[in-house]
Amino acid sequence: MEARLPKPTILTVDDDPGVAASISRDLRTRYGQDYRVIRATSGAQALEVLAELALRARPVALIATDQRMPEMTGVEMLARARDITPDTKFLLLTAYADTEAAIAAINDVGLDYYLLKPWDPPTERLYPVVDDLLGDWRQAHPPDAGEVTVVGHRWSERSHEVKTFLSRNHVPYQWREIDRDEEAGRLVELAGAGPDDLPLVLVPDGQPLRAPSTLDLAGALGLRTQAEQPLYDLCIVGGGPAGLAAAVYAASEGLRAVVVEKEAPGGQAGQSASIQNYLGFPKGLSGADLAHRAVAQAARFGAEMLLARDVVALEARGPVRAVRFGDSGEVEARAVLVASGVSYRRLEGPGLADLAGRGVYYGSSASEAVQCEGDDVYVVGGANSAGQAALNFARYARRVVMVVRGARLEDTMSMYLIAQIRANDRIEVRLRSSVVAAHGDGHLASITLCEQGSAPEELPATWLFVYIGASPRTDWLGPGVARDPRGFVLTGPELLASSATTPWPLARSPYALETSTPGVFAAGDVRLDSMKRVASAVGEGAMAIHLVHQYLATT
């Protein structure tokens, strides 16, 4: 007989017997089949229960606690509970008079949500909140490590790319390191693979994939890579916040829309461990969570999502715009939205290019922080993305060193991030500094750090993550779409005011987000002078659909 895994626990805490019975009953009614609901009547008892569950290695998914309890408040109990069960979701049940304490607890103890009592009817006020919290917990704690297995070298650039693709597309997998894991060697032998075949990817009911391309990997996993229709109303190139917002609004308003994404939904924002200033999420949310929700929302309205397709050209064919892929294939649409975003700029210096993917990385997914546990991590950059990454790495690393070229974080980073960085004892900020070289044989071993006014120093380092500048992904647009010298797309009034060599061809003025090719629009970070924030990208994506409607109505 196959052993069953223990159910995750939901712990309720309230000193009022009537309220305790009510919340436990409501949660058991909805979630009792998949979760074990346990009740505690005081903060002290709750901590005893949590300690016992920890000793038995029983996962705790959610703690729902009252705030006003004698001897120990709910927030005080949660602060101590965080040390016992660091990944549990926290829900505070509170009266209106205690909302200030609840809001403070978001920063102080990592409170996920606070809910005003009473919560009747639970179907409207309690269950939607708990559904979201448990959904997020389940996503971070899949019931198993996944049926996909990746075998490769720790310091392999391609292995890193494969693992990143799987993580960002929410595909659970097991990682087997060929140099440290005997089972990895056995799997390679069984597959009849050699050193040149790594990384080896084993998928259920499929042939082993030897050093697969991203497109081959996506196809083997059943991800959509081919368009279903011969002609769309709108093709959206890029699945970041702007592209996903455009997909939601286009499909919800009846347009036949398709999103083409080279890597994974979310763009640079999708790699963020915590976006804390996005409207409506006081605790913040991860970029992966935001992307996951947006993809589900777009799919619900009927938008298509093509993954692992690299767009290499744009062609105007009369009233139709064609987007061509590098590995053959294309999508035709009546209008195109360029939302291909930006890439992090590359560091220049001896050894840095050779060690890319072998200790030197450009950007990172939130899940990569755990691999740095106990190590020193260097983060290059002084904008929000670098700050969010540093805070995420600090959860696991022994020390995180931020290398910032500027003289002040305040010049480039939001204050809420600066406050958290300064309060974190594991994070050190090196201002007026830059990494000028990397050293190592096969993988990163040290870096050369140069601080203004001081002699260069070589420091031991195995992890270097870079978050600097922005290089727009616009080479594929060709000469028909005007750009500035750095490659950012000109739109609307900026297009008319510029001295671009590609003039506007029609008698009417271009729409606000329209490029020099009529029917081709741009939104988000790829557009000149965009705000470079998630909320503004979402707004531009939504605004673009209004303009696409106007364009389609006149063609």
Side-chain angles (χ1 to χ4, degrees):
M1 180 179 295
E2 184 177 337
R4 294 187 61 187
L5 295 174
K7 292 181 180 179
T9 296
I10 296 175
L11 175 63
T12 68
V13 191
D14 201 302
D15 65 307
D16 185 315
V19 176
S22 178
I23 184 67
S24 297
R25 180 195 66 240
D26 288 343
L27 291 173
R28 192 173 288 113
T29 298
R30 175 86 165 200
Y31 307 105
Q33 184 173 348
D34 299 314
Y35 296 85
R36 181 184 178 210
V37 180
I38 298 177
R39 185 168 67 188
T41 56
S42 70
Q45 184 184 17
L47 293 173
E48 291 176 1
V49 170
L50 291 172
E52 182 178 349
L53 292 171
L55 288 173
R56 296 183 180 183
R58 298 291 180 89
V60 180
L62 174 70
I63 300 175
T65 180
D66 184 40
Q67 165 63 359
R68 293 193 178 187
M69 295 185 294
E71 299 182 3
M72 186 185 302
T73 67
V75 170
E76 291 170 342
M77 185 274 295
L78 291 176
R80 296 172 62 178
R82 184 60 80 195
D83 294 331
I84 303 172
T85 176
D87 297 328
T88 296
K89 296 295 181 181
F90 289 171
L91 173 63
L92 190 68
L93 305 174
T94 184
Y96 181 79
D98 296 322
T99 53
E100 287 190 10
I103 293 171
I106 293 174
N107 288 330
D108 296 341
V109 303
L111 181 69
D112 293 283
Y113 205 92
Y114 68 91
L115 188 66
L116 297 179
K117 297 189 295 185
W119 56 84
D120 290 327
T123 52
E124 296 180 9
R125 300 194 58 199
L126 177 64
Y127 296 153
V129 171
V130 176
D131 284 349
D132 273 352
L133 295 177
L134 293 179
D136 290 346
W137 186 87
R138 279 289 191 186
Q139 185 175 317
H141 300 80
D144 55 55
E147 296 181 305
V148 175
T149 300
V150 181
V151 182
H153 294 286
R154 183 186 190 190
W155 302 113
S156 160
E157 183 175 9
R158 185 57 192 151
S159 292
H160 177 261
E161 291 171 353
V162 166
K163 292 189 292 180
T164 299
F165 179 83
L166 294 173
S167 296
R168 293 190 61 197
N169 283 286
H170 307 284
V171 178
Y173 68 91
Q174 297 182 40
W175 165 243
R176 300 284 188 181
E177 190 173 331
I178 192 68
D179 300 320
R180 300 185 178 185
D181 190 335
E182 291 183 4
E183 177 65 11
R186 189 184 73 85
L187 292 173
V188 170
E189 184 178 349
L190 287 174
D196 294 338
D197 295 324
L198 299 181
L200 181 71
V201 182
L202 307 176
V203 297
D205 304 321
Q207 294 297 316
L209 303 175
R210 293 168 167 81
S213 68
T214 303
L215 181 60
D216 290 339
L217 179 59
L221 295 171
L223 302 178
R224 180 176 292 175
T225 60
Q226 301 288 339
E228 293 189 348
Q229 300 184 42
L231 180 67
Y232 294 85
D233 295 315
L234 177 64
C235 175
I236 302 163
V237 181
L244 292 175
V248 168
Y249 280 90
S252 67
E253 295 174 12
L255 295 180
R256 294 169 298 170
V258 60
V259 181
V260 181
E261 169 55 46
K262 179 181 178 181
E263 297 167 353
Q268 280 192 359
Q271 301 179 54
S272 174
S274 180
I275 303 170
Q276 298 180 49
N277 59 354
Y278 190 63
L279 183 66
F281 294 87
K283 171 65 178 1
L285 76 169
S286 71
D289 187 23
L290 177 63
H292 185 68
R293 292 167 184 254
V295 168
Q297 193 174 16
R300 172 193 165 205
F301 290 124
E304 291 182 33
M305 173 76 70
L306 307 186
L307 294 173
R309 303 312 298 259
D310 187 14
V311 175
V312 297
L314 171 70
E315 294 181 3
R317 301 172 180 171
V320 171
R321 307 288 177 257
V323 168
R324 292 199 293 109
F325 305 145
D327 45 29
S328 77
E330 64 182 24
V331 168
E332 288 191 333
R334 298 169 62 202
V336 169
L337 176 63
V338 180
S340 45
V342 296
S343 302
Y344 292 115
R345 288 207 315 265
R346 298 277 165 157
L347 279 179
E348 300 291 338
L352 287 162
D354 294 338
L355 294 172
R358 297 176 172 85
V360 178
Y361 304 102
Y362 292 86
S364 65
S365 61
S367 61
E368 288 182 70
V370 68
Q371 69 184 336
C372 306
E373 187 168 7
D375 295 339
D376 288 352
V377 174
Y378 285 82
V379 173
V380 180
N384 280 10
S385 56
Q388 290 161 351
L391 288 165
N392 186 44
F393 284 122
R395 297 168 57 201
Y396 302 95
R398 184 176 69 92
R399 182 179 64 131
V400 177
V401 180
M402 293 191 67
V403 181
V404 182
R405 184 182 296 272
R408 303 189 324 146
L409 282 177
E410 288 84 351
D411 295 336
T412 52
M413 188 180 294
S414 296
M415 284 305 302
Y416 77 92
L417 287 171
I418 295 173
Q420 293 177 48
I421 288 169
R422 288 174 175 166
N424 195 311
D425 293 337
R426 293 189 180 185
I427 300 178
E428 173 188 342
V429 180
R430 299 281 298 265
L431 299 172
R432 300 183 180 89
S433 301
S434 57
V435 173
V436 297
H439 317 279
D441 182 11
H443 64 83
L444 182 67
S446 64
I447 60 173
T448 298
L449 189 67
C450 187
E451 184 173 347
Q452 291 180 20
S454 301
E457 54 182 323
E458 186 171 338
L459 303 170
T462 52
W463 303 103
L464 177 68
F465 294 89
V466 182
Y467 307 82
I468 58 169
S471 298
R473 300 173 178 174
T474 57
D475 290 345
W476 59 277
L477 289 171
V481 175
R483 285 156 283 170
D484 79 343
R486 295 178 298 163
F488 289 96
V489 178
L490 304 176
T491 57
E494 294 166 349
L495 176 64
L496 295 179
S498 74
S499 57
T501 57
T502 306
W504 174 247
L506 302 183
R508 69 166 175 85
S509 297
Y511 298 119
L513 299 180
E514 197 169 17
T515 72
S516 56
T517 296
V520 176
F521 299 81
D525 289 356
V526 76
R527 195 178 64 81
L528 179 65
D529 290 336
S530 61
M531 190 175 170
K532 308 298 186 290
R533 289 289 186 271
V534 173
S536 62
V538 169
E540 287 192 8
M543 175 183 172
I545 301 309
H546 171 69
L547 303 174
V548 167
H549 276 297
Q550 289 184 289
Y551 169 77
L552 294 179
T554 61
T555 57

